[in-house]
Amino acid sequence: MSDANATTPRVFIARHGETEWTISGQCTGNTADIPLTARGEDQVRATAALLVGAGKLIDPARLARVFCSPRQRAVRTMELLLGEEDAAAARASASKGDRTEHASRVVLTEDIREWDYGAYEGLRPGEIAERRRSQGKGKWDIWVDGCEDGERPDQVEARLDRLIAEIKAIQAPVIHGGPAPDVLIVAHGHILRAFVKRWLRFPMNFAFAQMMEPGAIGILSYAHHNIEEPALLVGMGFPASS
C-alpha cells in the first residue's frame, strides 16, 4: 500500500540560491540582508526550469499557500521560482511587523526567517570556535547552545511550531484530495533544517544530519493520508509528461 500519491498534500521546502556569504561560509542571519550572486540566480532558474510549472513537481495551480522569509535572498528566490508578479505584489504590500499577506497566496513571514545568529553573525565556524575558546566555552552546537545574543533553540522551535500548525490547518481539509493542497516554503539553510526536525516532531537537539544545497528543493508530506503522521518524502515518482 502506497504511503503517498498525488492526492496527498505536500510541503516543498526551497533554500535560496548562493550568496557571497554562502561562498565564504559566513553565518548569514537577519542583520546582513545580502542578495543572491549571479550564480545563485542561475541555480534557482535551473531548479525552476526542471521542477516548477504546470504538470511538473511543483505546480503553481496546486499551491494553496507560499510562505517566504522576508529577506531579499529568499524573496528573490521565490520570484525566480514562481515568477515576479506574486513576489512583487507581496513586497509592495509589505508593512512594518512580522507578516504580510497578499491575495496571490504569498505570505512573507518572520516565522521562517533564518536563525538569528546574534554575535555570531558574519562569522565562520572556525571564528566562532575561537571566540568560544577565548570565553572558556565548549564546542558550539547550535541545536543545543543557540547563538550568543541571538536565538535559543526553544525560541526557534516556537515560531516553527506556529507555522507548522498553520500549514496543517490549511492541508487537513484536503488530506484525501482537493483543490490546491500543496504548500511551498522559501527560506534559508539552517532554519529549513530546523523546520524538518520540527515537522517530524524531533526535538531541536535530536541528532539528525541534513544537507541542503543552495537552490535546492526538499519534500515533506504525510504517511497514510493522515495529518497526524507528518513524514519526510524520501523518494517519489515524477509526473508523466503530457
Side-chain angles (χ1 to χ4, degrees):
M1 175 178 170
S2 175
D3 280 342
N5 59 39
T7 66
T8 306
R10 296 164 296 183
V11 177
F12 299 105
I13 56 174
R15 183 184 175 187
H16 65 73
E18 177 192 85
T19 69
E20 290 295 341
W21 283 16
T22 307
I23 299 169
S24 63
Q26 293 168 265
C27 289
T28 317
N30 301 292
T31 60
D33 194 7
I34 60 180
L36 301 181
T37 62
R39 182 171 181 267
E41 294 208 356
D42 286 344
Q43 288 170 333
V44 180
R45 288 191 184 97
T47 297
L50 287 172
L51 301 181
V52 182
K56 295 185 179 181
L57 178 67
I58 303 175
D59 188 335
R62 287 178 56 86
L63 292 176
R65 201 70 51 87
V66 179
F67 293 101
C68 183
S69 162
R71 305 293 87 80
Q72 66 166 312
R73 57 195 185 276
V75 174
R76 180 57 178 157
T77 295
M78 177 184 65
E79 200 173 66
L80 293 168
L81 286 173
L82 296 180
E84 298 190 8
E85 184 176 347
D86 272 354
R91 283 189 299 206
S93 68
S95 60
K96 291 182 180 179
D98 66 352
R99 184 186 179 93
T100 60
E101 253 183 273
H102 186 264
S104 64
R105 298 171 296 175
V106 171
V107 179
L108 303 184
T109 173
E110 295 285 345
D111 282 348
I112 199 61
R113 72 178 187 273
E114 183 56 293
W115 200 304
D116 184 346
Y117 293 113
Y120 300 157
E121 180 82 2
L123 299 183
R124 299 171 178 85
E127 294 169 330
I128 296 171
E130 180 56 37
R131 179 188 179 97
R132 289 176 66 85
R133 277 195 296 270
S134 70
Q135 296 170 332
K137 296 179 179 178
K139 183 179 179 181
W140 182 47
D141 184 344
I142 192 171
W143 306 107
V144 175
D145 305 314
C147 298
E148 180 184 341
D149 298 329
E151 279 187 297
R152 303 186 310 269
D154 64 297
Q155 292 174 313
V156 173
E157 180 177 310
R159 60 183 171 95
L160 292 179
D161 286 357
R162 182 167 59 237
L163 179 58
I164 288 169
E166 184 170 357
I167 291 170
K168 285 187 172 184
I170 292 168
Q171 294 186 319
V174 292
I175 194 67
H176 295 291
D182 295 334
V183 166
L184 171 65
I185 298 174
V186 186
H188 315 269
H190 242 132
I191 202 64
L192 287 174
R193 283 178 280 159
F195 182 90
V196 171
K197 283 190 177 185
R198 292 309 300 152
W199 182 263
L200 298 174
R201 298 173 177 166
F202 295 156
M204 294 292 278
N205 63 358
F206 183 75
F208 183 58
Q210 303 170 66
M211 296 176 63
M212 194 172 196
E213 297 177 350
I217 301 290
I219 316 173
L220 304 167
S221 189
Y222 305 89
H224 309 114
H225 307 280
N226 186 347
I227 202 75
E228 296 305 323
E229 294 187 56
L232 178 66
L233 189 51
V234 296
M236 64 169 291
F238 283 79
S241 58
S242 57

